[in-house]
């Protein structure tokens, strides 16, 4: 997926996935989504936000878009709270959109000890390195707004933001993230823990990969650890 066209709120994702029924046509939920996303104005803005949400949390898990199929995140929504699922929602967006990982990489490089992020130099750096000026600028605005909606950033002024906190990831959350990473990002049953892109976890306070790998060895995967490797063989 290329451009991140519109910001999302975790509440929209949670309530939409809680609402949908397996086997129904996605178009059935166009109007109900608008009733959930009351902050949105304008027909085009609502359509694009719905497209971003459906693309990441429904369509990316299935071969056809004619009817909604079950997927791991829809299943998690049935048993977990919004706060528990916020990290999984955000990491899924990071997995799906290369531009969000690229923006995150530059945020990490350009943020000092004050955790202040200035948008003009960030935008200039991204346009010069990534290209496609319109896509980059629109994606930066949308992704920064999304990070604010997830309470990861706070707005100082319209050109400056502050990294306020990193979201807590529990052991079980990391298990779910590693499963998603294996199946839908890598598309491989072999996960090299040393090769996981650091951008995926920049916004999180997560447990050490190796601790979780050992804790769930034999349950969700077989963990192979030696001098050169730290690998999960997913079940």
């Amino acid at each position: 997926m290329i451009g991140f066209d519109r910001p999302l709120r975790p509440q929209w994702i949670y309530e939409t996935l809680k609402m949908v029924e397996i086997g129904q046509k996605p178009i059935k939920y166009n109007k109900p989504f608008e009733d959930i996303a009351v902050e949105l104005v304008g027909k085009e803005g609502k359509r694009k936000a719905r497209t971003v949400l459906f693309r990441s949390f429904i369509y990316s898990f299935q071969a056809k878009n004619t009817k909604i199929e079950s997927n791991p995140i829809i299943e998690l929504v049935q048993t977990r709270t919004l706060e528990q699922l916020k990290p999984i929602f955000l990491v899924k967006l990071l997995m799906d959109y290369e531009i969000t990982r690229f923006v995150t990489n530059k945020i990490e490089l350009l943020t000092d000890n004050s955790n202040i992020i200035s948008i003009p130099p960030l935008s200039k750096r991204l346009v010069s390195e990534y290209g496609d000026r319109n896509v980059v600028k629109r994606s930066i605005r949308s992704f920064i707004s999304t990070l604010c909606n997830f309470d990861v950033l706070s707005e100082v002024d319209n050109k400056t933001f502050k990294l306020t906190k990193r979201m807590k990831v529990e052991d079980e959350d990391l298990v779910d993230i590693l499963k998603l990473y294996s199946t839908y990002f890598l598309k491989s049953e072999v996960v090299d823990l040393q090769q996981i892109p650091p951008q995926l976890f920049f916004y999180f306070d997560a447990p050490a990969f190796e601790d979780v790998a050992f804790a769930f060895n034999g349950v969700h995967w077989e963990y192979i650890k030696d001098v050169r490797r730290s690998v999960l063989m997913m079940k």
Side-chain angles (χ1 to χ4, degrees):
M1 302 181 192
I2 303 174
F4 189 73
D5 291 326
R6 286 294 187 275
L8 293 182
R9 293 176 180 267
Q11 297 91 336
W12 300 348
I13 303 168
Y14 186 81
E15 292 179 28
T16 299
L17 297 184
K18 193 97 171 173
M19 166 183 65
V20 299
E21 296 179 359
I22 307 307
Q24 295 294 324
K25 294 180 179 180
I27 194 172
K28 174 181 177 180
Y29 299 102
N30 287 1
K31 180 61 169 63
F33 169 77
E34 294 179 9
D35 294 337
I36 289 170
V38 293
E39 297 86 354
L40 290 172
V41 294
K43 184 176 180 180
E44 185 70 1
K46 293 175 182 178
R47 182 188 67 80
K48 288 191 173 183
R50 185 179 66 246
T51 297
V52 173
L53 192 157
F54 276 49
R55 187 187 293 154
S56 273
F57 297 98
I58 295 176
Y59 299 149
S60 68
F61 292 100
Q62 50 191 68
K64 296 182 180 180
N65 299 341
T66 52
K67 293 184 178 181
I68 296 172
E69 301 173 12
S70 184
N71 68 56
I73 298 183
I74 288 177
E75 292 174 7
L76 287 173
V77 164
Q78 309 311 314
T79 59
R80 298 197 191 172
T81 67
L82 171 59
E83 288 303 313
Q84 289 174 318
L85 288 176
K86 273 186 180 181
I88 293 174
F89 292 162
L90 183 53
V91 82
K92 183 63 167 61
L93 294 174
L94 288 161
M95 288 182 191
D96 286 348
Y97 291 89
E98 180 186 1
I99 187 68
T100 64
R101 300 193 301 277
F102 195 79
V103 170
T104 298
N105 177 255
K106 298 309 172 188
I107 286 176
E108 183 174 10
L109 291 174
L110 294 173
T111 304
D112 59 21
N113 291 334
S114 68
N115 287 329
I116 294 294
I117 301 164
S118 179
I119 299 303
L122 174 64
S123 180
K124 184 177 180 180
R125 176 78 72 90
L126 286 165
V127 168
S128 67
E129 295 186 25
Y130 196 86
D132 203 336
R133 183 173 183 270
N134 291 332
V135 170
V136 168
K137 290 200 169 184
R138 184 170 63 249
S139 296
I140 290 172
R141 289 194 299 270
S142 295
F143 187 51
I144 291 294
S145 294
T146 297
L147 292 175
C148 289
N149 293 337
F150 275 81
D151 298 321
V152 173
L153 297 184
S154 61
E155 184 175 356
V156 178
D157 56 49
N158 61 356
K159 293 183 179 179
T160 310
F161 294 81
K162 184 172 184 178
L163 184 64
T164 53
K165 67 176 182 179
R166 285 178 164 81
M167 281 192 283
K168 180 68 175 175
V169 172
E170 304 293 346
D171 289 3
E172 292 284 355
D173 300 330
L174 185 54
V175 169
D176 291 324
I177 290 170
L178 290 171
K179 286 181 177 180
L180 286 171
Y181 175 75
S182 168
T183 305
Y184 300 103
F185 186 83
L186 286 184
K187 296 178 172 59
S188 170
E189 295 178 352
V190 181
V191 176
D192 186 340
L193 297 179
Q194 297 175 347
Q195 297 299 318
I196 294 176
Q199 297 87 358
L200 294 180
F201 286 90
F202 176 71
Y203 305 107
F204 306 111
D205 175 14
F209 292 163
E210 290 190 359
D211 292 346
V212 172
F214 275 121
F216 294 92
N217 185 31
V219 181
H220 298 291
W221 48 65
E222 296 298 327
Y223 181 40
I224 302 171
K225 171 69 175 175
D226 58 33
V227 175
R228 294 175 300 170
R229 298 183 300 169
S230 184
V231 173
L232 304 179
M233 306 295 293
M234 309 299 288
K235 292 190 172 184

